[in-house]
Amino acid sequence: MTACVAAILSVSVAAQEHTTGISLKAVVVDDDIPTAAVKNIETKLQRALASNGIGDMDYTQRFVLAAKVDVVQNDVMPSNPPRVSKKLDLTLMVGDVIENKIYETCTMSLAGIGTNDAKAFVSAFSRVNPNNEDLQTMLAAAKEEIMAYYENNCDYIISNANSLAGQQKYDEAIARLMSVPEVCKECYEKCRAAAVEIFEQKLDADCSALLNEAKNEWMYSKDAKAAAKVAEIFSRIDPLWTGYPEVVKFRNEISAKLSADEKREWDMMVKKYEDERQFKHSIVDACREIGVAWGKNQP
């Protein structure tokens, strides 16, 4: 285990925030730490990650930088007002939460004083230097191990994603593929290509169903009220779908059957939904949005 020496001052890393595409989620694994103190140490960890070219995002749910706090000594000093004195061991662990595997660890001994528990914790955590040499060495080693994971398991990642897609878990499949960092160039390219294929499967499944729903709605009642419902359904059909020309054809058929007033309202609704869909986004951007959204919704 690497021993990290507690430092006194925090150093800004704003100029070093370019990341490699590798992401670690900074988390505190102790529910007894006051919220204000948790935010304090999480900020320090995020800065440590940034200074090593690592992101802290919800995008990837596999790898974490976890902080565990052990209170070694807790005293209430007989001052006026009373002050709380704490001595802590802060253990930082980089690990894979899916395989329950720890890659690297680092321990810091900290001390802090405050007028209450929360302020004593914050005082102690304020002594963590994100650019501490041993901490950065730990993160650099963990980064290499994470890169090795992706490079050694690329075929499995793609196979697993295809299996998820076969179960119609398209969003999860895309998220798994999009989590591969760009620095792992060969695997990154393979997984992006696989993500695009699965995205197209998702579009075929989702958009075909929506188009059928729109056609059934129109067949049931060919009037302005039905047209409004169809326009809303169209708003959920992605223009990146290879079958989108059929949507345009059906849309034109409906437009031809409406009166002049109804057609003006129809055209306004269609334009409104088109603007909201932002037609010019790319498939890779769409895959990235799906990956981020899926990751944020995970516990």
Side-chain angles (χ1 to χ4, degrees):
M1 176 182 296
T2 305
C4 294
V5 180
I8 301 299
L9 299 175
S10 302
V11 180
S12 172
V13 294
Q16 300 176 331
E17 290 183 346
H18 174 70
T19 69
T20 61
I22 290 177
S23 175
L24 290 173
K25 182 62 181 172
V27 296
V28 177
V29 292
D30 192 330
D31 295 334
D32 294 329
I33 306 299
T35 302
V38 168
K39 291 184 181 300
N40 181 283
I41 190 60
E42 284 182 346
T43 298
K44 293 294 184 73
L45 297 182
Q46 289 161 359
R47 293 170 63 189
L49 291 170
S51 67
N52 211 298
I54 302 173
D56 174 18
M57 298 169 283
D58 291 320
Y59 196 71
T60 302
Q61 294 295 313
R62 184 175 200 108
F63 300 106
V64 298
L65 171 58
K68 184 178 183 301
V69 179
D70 292 311
V71 178
V72 178
Q73 186 175 333
N74 186 75
D75 297 314
V76 178
M77 302 171 66
S79 56
N80 189 18
R83 296 169 70 84
V84 177
S85 171
K86 290 184 181 293
K87 291 184 178 180
L88 316 172
D89 280 343
L90 173 65
T91 301
L92 303 176
M93 299 169 283
V94 175
D96 181 333
V97 298
I98 294 178
E99 293 188 2
N100 196 28
K101 178 180 179 181
I102 295 176
Y103 287 138
E104 299 288 336
T105 66
C106 175
T107 297
M108 298 181 180
S109 295
L110 307 172
I113 299 175
T115 53
N116 55 40
D117 263 3
K119 291 182 178 180
F121 275 115
V122 170
S123 173
F125 294 153
S126 69
R127 300 177 184 279
V128 176
N129 180 357
N131 279 355
N132 175 272
E133 183 178 354
D134 290 341
L135 172 57
Q136 288 299 316
T137 298
M138 180 196 77
L139 290 176
K143 184 167 64 176
E144 293 297 322
E145 293 184 71
I146 291 171
M147 289 172 58
Y149 166 81
Y150 284 117
E151 291 167 356
N152 295 333
N153 293 276
C154 193
D155 290 343
Y156 171 76
I157 293 169
I158 295 172
S159 174
N160 179 251
N162 287 330
S163 177
L164 290 168
Q167 303 170 52
Q168 297 186 329
K169 296 179 179 179
Y170 301 113
D171 289 1
E172 182 178 355
I174 291 169
R176 298 294 185 198
L177 294 166
M178 297 299 289
S179 70
V180 176
E182 188 173 357
V183 69
C184 303
K185 186 172 179 56
E186 184 177 351
C187 185
Y188 172 85
E189 296 294 344
K190 288 181 180 179
C191 288
R192 286 297 184 274
V196 168
E197 291 180 5
I198 292 176
F199 179 75
E200 290 172 347
Q201 294 175 36
K202 172 184 169 66
L203 287 189
D204 280 337
D206 293 349
C207 297
S208 294
L210 288 169
L211 180 58
N212 288 333
E213 181 183 346
K215 288 181 175 179
N216 290 335
E217 189 68 49
W218 181 246
M219 288 296 295
Y220 179 74
S221 177
K222 297 181 180 180
D223 56 20
K225 186 176 180 180
K229 291 181 179 178
V230 169
E232 190 281 324
I233 295 170
F234 280 168
S235 75
R236 291 180 276 142
I237 299 180
D238 197 308
L240 292 172
W241 179 37
T242 55
Y244 199 77
E246 189 176 348
V247 175
V248 175
K249 179 181 177 182
F250 181 45
R251 190 173 67 195
N252 292 338
E253 290 175 3
I254 294 175
S255 181
K257 296 183 182 297
L258 299 173
S259 68
D261 288 343
E262 291 171 342
K263 186 177 184 303
R264 276 194 295 272
E265 186 174 352
W266 163 261
D267 289 341
M268 289 176 60
M269 285 188 295
V270 169
K271 185 177 188 312
K272 173 179 177 289
Y273 289 133
E274 284 181 348
D275 291 344
E276 289 175 353
R277 288 299 305 191
Q278 297 178 344
F279 270 35
K280 294 183 179 180
H281 70 297
S282 70
I283 288 181
V284 171
D285 287 341
C287 289
R288 187 174 293 110
E289 290 169 8
I290 289 171
V292 171
W294 184 88
K296 286 183 176 180
N297 287 327
Q298 301 312 301

